[in-house]
């Protein structure tokens, strides 16, 4: 059974159609990368999956449980919050709380969501996650004391702290200087090697080739091509995909 099934997701902002019927599925342990030009709907799709935006129609199913069905009316706040827990989101701009240390940023949500848990257990889990991110010596640092790459790795640890079914990244290196990009991509690649289920919206074509089990290419609110990296990147069939990749290669 697929861990995630997305059927005919649509999203409008006012009179503008952003997602025009998106359908795909993925298996547990897979890494799926989403490519496409600006305005193609990539980030909106990711935000709909995380329920940061509510789709106008369609269906989202995780582990066989329907989290969203556009034909059934609006979700309550409690239903939305419960659905969001299936997804961990890593944003472009880190979104760390500046008044909290790295460790506090990672442990805040688990503490708030389960007040009956032993706080020491939560702290230990947070420390383990930061150690996995290579930040064992930065746990007590505040965000302003960390480089952009370090902040993004704290954000990844924070997303993992709630043990989501699917970890989502929205252009995880776009806010980083080129010299810091590599350290974040290395962490994501290690997560992929550990079969962490991930969806990555990225502009890093070679990274997508190396880390992905499958790639979706979006254009104009549709998925216009889907397949293994070798097929989509090296032998695209759709003319829009070919044009996009050709423009990337020219810039490189």
């Amino acid at each position: 059974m697929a861990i995630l099934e997305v059927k005919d997701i649509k999203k409008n902002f006012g009179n503008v159609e952003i997602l025009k019927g998106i359908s795909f599925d993925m298996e547990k342990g897979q890494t799926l990368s989403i490519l496409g030009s600006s305005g193609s709907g990539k980030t909106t799709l990711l935000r709909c999956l995380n329920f940061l935006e509510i789709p106008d129609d369609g269906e989202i199913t995780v582990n066989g449980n329907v989290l969203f069905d556009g034909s059934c009316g609006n979700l309550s706040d409690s239903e939305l919050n419960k659905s969001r827990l299936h997804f961990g989101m890593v944003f472009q701009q880190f979104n760390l709380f500046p008044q909290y240390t790295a460790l506090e940023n990672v442990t805040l949500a688990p503490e708030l969501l389960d007040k009956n848990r032993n706080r020491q257990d939560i702290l230990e889990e947070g420390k383990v996650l930061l150690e996995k991110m290579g930040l064992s010596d930065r746990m007590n640092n505040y965000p302003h004391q960390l480089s952009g790459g370090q902040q993004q790795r704290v954000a990844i640890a924070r997303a993992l702290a709630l043990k989501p079914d699917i970890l989502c990244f929205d252009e995880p290196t776009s806010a980083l200087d080129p010299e810091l990009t590599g350290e974040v991509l290395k962490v994501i690649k290690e997560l992929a090697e550990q079969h962490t289920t991930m969806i990555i919206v990225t502009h890093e074509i070679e990274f997508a080739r190396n880390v992905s089990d499958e790639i979706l290419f979006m254009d104009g609110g549709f998925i216009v091509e889907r397949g293994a990296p070798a097929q989509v990147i090296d032998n695209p069939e759709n003319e829009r995909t070919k044009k996009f990749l050709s423009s990337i290669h020219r810039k490189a």
Side-chain angles (χ1 to χ4, degrees), residues 102-111 114 117-133 139 154 156-164:
L103 182 58
E104 288 168 339
N105 265 280
V106 172
T107 59
L108 179 63
E111 287 182 7
D114 191 352
R117 277 196 67 192
N118 185 297
R119 186 169 185 272
Q120 193 58 40
D121 290 343
I122 295 174
L123 288 173
E124 288 304 317
E125 287 182 4
K127 290 176 182 177
V128 169
L129 285 170
L130 287 171
E131 286 168 2
K132 284 178 65 176
M133 296 297 118
M139 293 187 189
V154 173
I156 295 170
R158 179 179 62 182
L160 288 168
L162 292 176
K163 301 179 177 65

Side-chain angles (χ1 to χ4, degrees), residues 37-171:
S37 58
S38 297
S40 61
K42 307 184 303 295
T43 292
T44 298
L45 173 58
L46 207 59
R47 290 179 65 83
C48 283
L49 293 178
N50 284 270
F51 298 98
L52 298 173
E53 302 286 351
I54 308 304
D56 294 314
D57 202 359
E59 188 173 292
I60 299 171
T61 302
V62 174
N63 286 325
N65 299 311
V66 177
L67 304 186
F68 175 81
D69 184 342
S71 65
C72 294
N74 295 329
L75 296 173
S76 67
D77 287 344
S78 62
E79 288 172 327
L80 278 174
N81 289 332
K82 187 176 180 181
S83 294
R84 288 182 181 124
L85 293 177
H86 291 278
F87 299 89
M89 184 73 165
V90 180
F91 299 90
Q92 296 181 32
Q93 300 292 338
F94 323 138
N95 289 0
L96 299 179
F97 294 107
Q99 71 272 33
Y100 294 132
T101 66
L103 182 58
E104 288 168 339
N105 265 280
V106 172
T107 59
L108 179 63
E111 287 182 7
L112 290 174
L113 288 169
D114 191 352
K115 296 183 182 298
N116 295 320
R117 277 196 67 192
N118 185 297
R119 186 169 185 272
Q120 193 58 40
D121 290 343
I122 295 174
L123 288 173
E124 288 304 317
E125 287 182 4
K127 290 176 182 177
V128 169
L129 285 170
L130 287 171
E131 286 168 2
K132 284 178 65 176
M133 296 297 118
L135 295 169
S136 56
D137 59 341
R138 294 287 187 269
M139 293 187 189
N140 295 315
N141 287 45
Y142 290 88
H144 75 274
Q145 298 171 316
L146 302 172
S147 70
Q150 290 168 339
Q151 289 184 61
Q152 190 61 297
R153 283 182 280 154
V154 173
I156 295 170
R158 179 179 62 182
L160 288 168
L162 292 176
K163 301 179 177 65
D165 293 299
I166 302 165
L167 187 60
C168 300
F169 295 86
D170 184 16
E171 298 280 13

